[in-house]
Amino acid sequence: MGHVDHGKTSVLDVLRSANVVSGEFGGITQHIGAYQIESHSNKLTFIDTPGHAAFTEMRARGTQLTDVVVLVVAADDGVKPQTIESIKHAKAANVPIVVAINKCDLPEADPQKIKNQLLEYELIAEDLSGDTLMVEISAKTKLNLEKLVESILLQAEILDLKTDFESKATGVVLESKIDVGRGPVANIIVTTGTLKKGDFFVSGLKWGKVRAIINDKGKNINEAPPSTPVEILGINGAAKAGDDFIVLDNEKEAKLLSESRAEEAKVGKNPLSFATQESAFSSKSAEELNLIIKSDVHGSSEAIKNAISQIKHEEVKPKIILADIGMVTETDVTLAKASNAVLIAFNVKPSKEAKKLAENEGIKISSYNIIYEVLDYIKKRMSGLLMPDVKENISGNAEVLQIFKVSGAGKVAGCKITEGEINSTSDVRLIRDGNIIYTGKVSTIFREKNQVKNVSNGQECGITIKDYMDYQKGDIIEAFNITSKERTI
Ligand code: GDP
């Protein structure tokens, strides 16, 4: 990722062509939105997304496809708006950054200046006592490109990435098209497991059977292990970029899943929303409230940031992932969705497109023009992340003295209440020799063959527990209730 014209395409081209030329495939390449290169028997897959928008879009859809972001910064130009955006997106996704300082062949190149500029964004080079890997390269003269690859591999090693080769494959659609002659084609990256020819799968609302797997060198292959970008034939329609790809046991399962997704899509639900719940927000631990704040002027932005930094709580923390000046844009909405963030507009309005996108995506844009109202709202949202106070009270105990049968009620536990009281709607536990044997609810309480609402200490009674019969002499029936109270900050 990086600013336009800083050399992303050039770097990728050099890496790829070097590999294609030295490789066994004679230079035939296939555009599938990603390329795999090999370095000292390590395989790296570069995703050729045109910028941070696509990256964020994928994340918004529950897809964390990228393990490392390579940030390209031109040494003659420095940190630019899209550089900053890229850093924010990578950070929000918790993806480590390796910096490629490009165009170092130019006489006006000043790599040290770039390193200094990046300090402001908490990217600290190793020679400045930080731990961000930065490599001074030139796509033009091919300076240090090998070193760049080594740094990416080193970063991957630090991450200790692991995946399962054996399981059924899952993946993500990068692009898709309808090809004259070949029909629908989906370009995917296998993320786990190994994809095999003949596998049945679902992708978004579509399904199919893998008829052919073609790799980025244009070669037909029978199997695609994890992280391989491939082209797939056999899907029953055009998938969408960012759609999931899941291999299932058989045709029936694949059809059923795609049909049920189509049904859900018809009634307006997001059939893929389960994916966004689980993986998209891995950057956010349960006790952090992500915030995106757009304000009118620098002064108010600073004031809000300051005020938020004063909100202290042991269990929940506000985390500003973006505080910027200007109207709320589509990128802000997408970022809010991807990071499960609260999106606040202070004295600014959303653009028409952002408003429409927010409506479609179900993202709330909260508008304020008084700072303490912003803070109240943030505190309220933080309170929502707190676990409620849950208390359990024991209301009574009964000892089982004998078991008898009552026609129509089955087995009944003849009890004596030894403490407190038990009523006919109590939650109860059956305790035997100190162990909880069953937890459920009282079904009925009898006194002298009559049903009663409650019994208290000293009284004898018959108790039945819902869906349980196996009472034994000496068992203890303990009645309890649980109260839960919402907490606030
Ligand atoms: P992108 O927009 O980030 O993909 O940038 P490009 O790869 O299209 O490069 C933008 C321009 O910078 C092109 O004219 C390239 O030829 C030039 N360029 C890219 N890398 C280098 C480099 O290392 N040195 C020099 N001098 N020019 C470069």
Side-chain angles (χ1 to χ4, degrees):
M1 304 207 292
H3 198 69
V4 64
D5 271 352
H6 279 197
K8 296 180 292 294
T9 318
S10 307
V11 173
L12 205 52
D13 278 352
V14 178
L15 289 173
R16 197 161 56 97
S17 59
N19 212 256
V20 168
V21 173
S22 65
E24 62 193 279
F25 305 108
I28 313 154
T29 59
Q30 189 94 1
H31 172 77
I32 61 172
Y35 313 95
Q36 199 166 58
I37 72 158
E38 209 166 317
S39 168
H40 305 295
S41 71
N42 292 294
K43 285 182 176 149
L44 294 91
T45 302
F46 287 89
I47 301 171
D48 183 21
T49 47
H52 56 80
F55 178 78
T56 306
E57 181 60 34
M58 288 223 172
R59 227 160 49 74
R61 305 197 59 191
T63 322
Q64 180 106 21
L65 199 52
T66 326
D67 297 311
V68 175
V69 162
V70 179
L71 180 73
V72 179
V73 191
D76 62 330
D77 201 16
V79 171
K80 293 277 154 191
Q82 280 169 294
T83 319
I84 302 168
E85 288 267 302
S86 307
I87 295 172
K88 282 175 187 159
H89 282 80
K91 288 208 163 180
N94 246 354
V95 178
I97 296 173
V98 170
V99 180
I101 304 178
N102 190 30
K103 306 198 186 181
C104 286
D105 57 286
L106 294 172
E108 60 271 37
D110 188 352
Q112 206 52 45
K113 188 182 98 190
I114 311 295
K115 289 182 187 173
N116 291 340
Q117 286 179 339
L118 288 170
L119 282 175
E120 198 184 318
Y121 305 93
E122 291 164 22
L123 293 177
I124 308 165
E126 284 175 306
D127 52 358
L128 298 174
S129 309
D131 57 6
T132 306
L133 301 171
M134 299 196 188
V135 192
E136 296 169 22
I137 64 160
S138 162
K140 194 172 171 190
T141 65
K142 302 189 180 163
L143 169 78
N144 281 342
L145 286 172
E146 185 68 15
K147 200 169 158 204
L148 174 64
V149 171
E150 278 165 16
S151 298
I152 298 168
L153 288 171
L154 178 62
Q155 185 64 61
E157 215 166 277
I158 295 168
L159 291 172
D160 195 21
L161 301 167
K162 290 206 168 62
T163 190
D164 183 1
F165 279 67
E166 304 301 323
S167 62
K168 282 201 277 292
T170 58
V172 177
V173 176
L174 292 175
E175 292 175 6
S176 109
K177 60 179 181 222
I178 307 277
D179 203 288
V180 185
R182 296 193 302 167
V185 180
N187 299 343
I188 70 163
I189 286 198
V190 177
T191 45
T192 50
T194 298
L195 181 69
K196 300 188 179 100
K197 241 169 106 172
D199 277 347
F200 286 98
F201 63 89
V202 163
S203 180
L205 305 181
K206 307 292 175 204
W207 72 281
K209 180 181 180 182
V210 178
R211 257 196 302 125
I213 309 176
I214 301 137
N215 71 8
D216 59 330
K217 316 288 188 301
K219 198 175 167 210
N220 262 293
I221 53 177
N222 289 324
E223 286 192 0
S227 291
T228 323
V230 286
E231 203 177 54
I232 296 294
L233 302 186
I235 186 165
N236 75 338
K240 285 214 294 276
D243 273 351
D244 60 352
F245 185 96
I246 308 169
V247 170
L248 294 149
D249 275 340
N250 50 47
E251 180 172 0
K252 198 170 147 207
E253 278 187 16
K255 265 188 185 166
L256 269 177
L257 182 58
S258 86
E259 277 164 16
S260 83
R261 284 180 167 192
E263 279 302 313
E264 287 191 21
K266 245 191 248 163
V267 294
K269 278 197 211 154
N270 177 0
L272 309 180
S273 58
F274 64 89
T276 49
Q277 298 302 326
E278 280 177 24
S279 45
F281 312 135
S282 50
S283 63
K284 173 188 160 292
S285 67
E287 67 282 358
E288 274 176 351
L289 180 73
N290 285 344
L291 297 165
I292 295 174
I293 299 159
K294 295 301 288 273
S295 347
D296 52 346
V297 290
H298 197 64
S300 37
S301 179
E302 284 305 306
I304 294 173
K305 275 202 282 192
N306 260 330
I308 290 173
S309 71
Q310 309 295 322
I311 305 177
K312 299 257 188 302
H313 194 276
E314 273 182 9
E315 293 160 61
V316 208
K317 275 191 283 201
K319 182 179 172 194
I320 301 175
I321 55 171
L322 178 71
D324 218 343
I325 323 282
M327 64 160 73
V328 177
T329 63
E330 284 172 288
T331 314
D332 299 326
V333 175
T334 321
L335 183 59
K337 184 162 188 223
S339 329
N340 196 21
V342 170
L343 178 50
I344 293 173
F346 187 79
N347 268 339
V348 287
K349 293 223 171 326
S351 69
K352 224 198 268 165
E353 296 77 23
K355 202 169 161 197
K356 196 159 161 232
L357 182 66
E359 276 166 16
N360 289 343
E361 299 285 356
I363 300 291
K364 186 176 168 201
I365 303 175
S366 304
S367 301
Y368 292 97
N369 46 28
I370 300 172
I371 290 184
Y372 75 76
E373 283 183 358
V374 174
L375 295 181
D376 278 354
Y377 179 64
I378 291 173
K379 283 184 192 162
K380 200 169 130 204
R381 293 296 301 263
M382 284 171 66
S383 301
L385 294 179
L386 287 176
M387 297 293 282
D389 253 338
V390 178
K391 280 208 179 92
E392 184 190 291
N393 306 302
I394 309 286
S395 56
N397 268 308
E399 189 182 343
V400 178
L401 303 177
Q402 58 171 313
I403 322 296
F404 48 92
K405 279 192 173 170
V406 172
S407 60
K411 274 193 199 165
V412 175
C415 305
K416 181 170 182 176
I417 308 297
T418 52
E419 213 182 312
E421 59 168 46
I422 297 182
N423 64 51
S424 57
T425 55
S426 292
D427 288 309
V428 287
R429 291 188 191 98
L430 189 87
I431 299 168
R432 186 171 301 154
D433 301 326
N435 299 317
I436 298 172
I437 303 294
Y438 187 77
T439 303
K441 269 183 142 5
V442 169
S443 173
T444 38
I445 304 180
F446 299 97
R447 292 248 317 141
E448 310 275 332
K449 292 196 176 151
N450 300 318
Q451 281 196 27
V452 293
K453 287 237 164 74
N454 63 40
V455 277
S456 49
N457 196 6
Q459 286 182 322
E460 291 194 347
C461 62
I463 296 180
T464 61
I465 298 176
K466 246 183 213 154
D467 302 323
Y468 191 81
M469 288 258 164
D470 186 27
Y471 316 105
Q472 287 180 22
K473 208 174 149 188
D475 285 351
I476 304 290
I477 295 175
E478 181 179 79
F480 65 96
N481 56 54
I482 288 174
T483 53
S484 150
K485 205 172 138 210
E486 298 296 330
R487 288 154 67 209
T488 52
I489 288 193

